[in-house]
């Protein structure tokens, strides 16, 4: 079906076609249920991940949440270089941190799903996948379906309350 955070069914098809292209890399899958602002939790995860030698970090999900994360990366404790949503392919290629409403073409070292409303997790494979969602009923329901999808793939996701 069509989610609230995308304008057409084309995005869902991109997720499914990306899933067909990706090798099934299933590492650590962790779900972060946020009582507060999920963007702040994602920001902490990004800062922590950038201290590690992982070559690629991809954040996907709701466009509004990604814009808020991009603004937070520009301010606060200092600027964190990143490719914001809608960045050109040239900018993406030279960025370690990519924010995008689209799934990655290849599994990154860490994939963070932020406030995603899509229940299909098929295109969201990575060495490590952190699913960050807020307290809204729609976000919880979608996260529950993604959690179950990972279980059907033989992965036991971890749950973290923050």
């Amino acid at each position: 079906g069509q989610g609230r955070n995308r304008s057409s069914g084309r995005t869902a098809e991109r997720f499914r076609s990306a899933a067909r292209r990706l090798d099934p890399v299933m590492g650590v899958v962790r779900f972060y249920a946020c009582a507060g602002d999920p963007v702040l939790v994602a920001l902490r995860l990004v800062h922590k991940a950038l201290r590690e030698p992982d070559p690629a970090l991809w954040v996907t999900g709701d466009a509004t949440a990604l814009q808020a994360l991009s603004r937070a990366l520009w301010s606060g404790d200092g600027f964190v270089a990143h490719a914001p949503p809608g960045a050109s392919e040239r900018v993406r290629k030279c960025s370690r941190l990519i924010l995008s409403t689209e799934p990655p073409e290849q599994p990154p070292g860490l994939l963070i799903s932020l406030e995603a409303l899509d229940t299909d997790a098929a295109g969201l494979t990575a060495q490590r996948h952190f699913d960050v969602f807020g307290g809204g009923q729609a976000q919880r329901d979608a996260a529950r379906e993604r959690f179950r999808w990972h279980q059907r793939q033989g992965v036991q996701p971890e749950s973290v309350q923050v």
Side-chain angles (χ1 to χ4, degrees):
Q2 184 172 336
R4 290 190 312 182
N5 63 333
R6 60 178 188 259
S7 59
S8 71
R10 293 181 336 172
T11 300
E13 178 54 36
R14 287 184 192 143
F15 274 94
R16 284 189 286 278
S17 63
R20 289 190 292 268
R21 290 191 304 268
L22 298 177
D23 294 328
V25 177
M26 290 289 188
V28 174
V29 178
R30 191 171 296 143
F31 282 74
Y32 290 85
C34 305
D37 186 357
V39 172
L40 295 178
V41 173
L43 182 63
R44 279 198 324 254
L45 292 171
V46 165
H47 280 287
K48 185 176 179 180
L50 289 174
R51 291 192 300 259
E52 300 172 6
D54 248 337
L57 173 60
W58 192 286
V59 182
T60 188
D62 175 69
T64 303
L66 291 174
Q67 288 295 337
L69 179 60
S70 183
R71 283 190 303 275
L73 290 166
W74 275 95
S75 59
D77 293 334
F79 171 70
V80 176
H82 64 282
S88 69
E89 187 61 31
R90 184 180 64 77
V91 170
R92 284 182 176 193
K93 284 184 178 181
C94 64
S95 298
R96 182 173 168 213
L97 171 57
I98 298 169
L99 310 184
S100 177
T101 56
E102 300 297 325
E105 292 286 325
Q106 297 296 320
L110 174 61
L111 172 66
I112 298 175
S113 299
L114 178 58
E115 290 282 271
L117 290 174
D118 199 332
T119 58
D120 183 8
L124 303 176
T125 55
Q127 294 170 7
R128 294 182 302 157
H129 180 192
F130 297 162
D131 196 308
V132 181
F133 59 96
Q137 189 63 45
Q139 287 85 359
R140 286 195 314 266
D141 290 346
R144 188 175 298 115
E145 289 303 314
R146 292 188 302 272
F147 189 96
R148 290 178 182 148
W149 181 88
H150 285 290
Q151 288 178 318
R152 289 190 299 272
Q153 306 311 306
V155 174
Q156 184 53 51
E158 302 170 20
S159 292
V160 179
Q161 300 290 321
V162 289

